[in-house]
Amino acid sequence: TKNFNWSVGFNHTFNQSKVLALDGTNENINGLTINRVGEKLNSIYLVRYAGVDPDNGDALYFKADGKTTTNVYDPNDKVIVGTYDPPHFGAFNTAVNYKGIELEAQFTYIFGNKIYNNDRQNVENPAYVISNVSADLLHEWQQPGDITDIPSPFNDFQAGTTRFVEDGKFLRLRNVMLSYTIPASVLSKAKISGIRVFVQGQNLYTWTKFKGYDPEVATGSLGGSQYPLLKTVTFGVSVGL
């Protein structure tokens, strides 16, 4: 209308992959990941964590068949449990303008990927230099009958399991801006073509279940020892002469 305008925008990307061939081998394992012919690129390859034995506090793991559990960690039981390459990501935005007052917002999102939370693995590892600093360890197994997902501190700690694999999806308020443009009729005598005052916020909030600092900063499947994106608030005035 003459005084009111509302606009919206949306984009989505599908990122699908499949390893078709490798040079002289059927698979290539690199740390936590595997590239295997017929599977998705950069698949996470780990032993599946099955919880804690309430009788003795031992960590339990699934065998390769996915049905049997054991308290003995065996790297031969590793299976593909997801990929760190997000198969879906995108953004949407909206802007509302009424008589020069404008509110704009942009959101970004990712879903379908997994992240190995290396920071969590460090602080929950009883043998690590900065161990026992995670509040989650308040729930570790202490006596027979305890029901928990954190084993006894005297258990043989294994990092290469899905215990530290988390959902990487998130929705982030990437940018929001509130501005006001002074009408040209008010500025005509001052020989100024336009004045716009604004306040802008970036990365103000992220909806996620990821327990690390930032699900987006994490590169590859390994999330840890990285600075999260900064939250910033900016005030400004733009003047056109």
Side-chain angles (χ1 to χ4, degrees):
T1 67
K2 180 181 179 180
N3 295 318
F4 176 81
N5 183 73
W6 178 27
S7 64
V8 294
F10 172 76
N11 69 78
H12 182 83
T13 297
F14 297 93
N15 176 31
Q16 307 296 330
S17 68
K18 183 177 181 180
V19 179
L20 300 180
L22 294 170
D23 187 14
T25 182
N26 186 59
E27 62 184 34
N28 188 309
I29 301 174
N30 182 16
L32 305 176
T33 64
I34 185 172
N35 287 318
R36 176 185 289 166
V37 174
E39 301 289 348
K40 293 181 179 179
L41 190 67
N42 298 320
S43 295
I44 302 175
Y45 191 57
L46 295 170
V47 174
R48 287 167 291 183
Y49 185 65
V52 176
D53 187 334
D55 293 330
N56 55 23
D58 285 353
L60 298 175
Y61 312 102
F62 283 108
K63 299 293 290 181
D65 61 14
K67 300 177 181 179
T68 311
T69 61
T70 176
N71 63 350
V72 178
Y73 174 85
D74 186 349
N76 292 319
D77 291 327
K78 289 183 178 182
V79 296
I80 292 175
V81 295
T83 175
Y84 66 73
D85 291 338
H88 303 277
F89 57 91
F92 57 93
N93 59 78
T94 185
V96 177
N97 188 304
Y98 178 71
K99 292 186 176 181
I101 301 174
E102 185 169 50
L103 177 64
E104 304 173 70
Q106 181 189 45
F107 296 83
T108 58
Y109 62 87
I110 282 176
F111 64 90
N113 63 311
K114 301 290 185 181
I115 300 174
Y116 183 91
N117 192 336
N118 196 57
D119 281 334
R120 216 184 97 217
Q121 183 268 129
N122 287 339
V123 298
E124 292 184 18
N125 183 349
Y128 194 65
V129 64
I130 54 171
S131 64
N132 297 322
V133 296
S134 170
D136 287 342
L137 295 182
L138 294 171
H139 309 293
E140 70 184 5
W141 186 94
Q142 298 181 44
Q143 60 187 6
D146 283 350
I147 304 300
T148 180
D149 61 347
I150 304 217
S152 165
F154 304 107
N155 187 257
D156 183 22
F157 182 86
Q158 295 292 340
T161 76
T162 57
R163 174 181 168 183
F164 304 105
V165 174
E166 300 180 22
D167 195 332
K169 70 173 177 285
F170 69 85
L171 171 65
R172 165 164 281 161
L173 178 56
R174 175 73 62 187
N175 187 77
V176 61
M177 178 184 291
L178 179 64
S179 64
Y180 176 63
T181 301
I182 299 176
S185 57
V186 177
L187 303 172
S188 58
K189 294 183 179 180
K191 296 182 179 181
I192 297 175
S193 61
I195 294 180
R196 181 171 177 260
V197 295
F198 65 89
V199 56
Q200 176 180 250
Q202 293 179 304
N203 306 315
L204 295 184
Y205 195 81
T206 303
W207 292 266
T208 182
K209 293 183 178 180
F210 180 62
K211 294 182 179 180
Y213 289 113
D214 192 334
E216 186 175 15
V217 171
T219 58
S221 62
L222 190 65
S225 303
Q226 301 171 70
Y227 287 108
L229 292 179
L230 296 178
K231 295 179 181 180
T232 61
V233 177
T234 305
F235 299 88
V237 178
S238 60
V239 180
L241 301 177

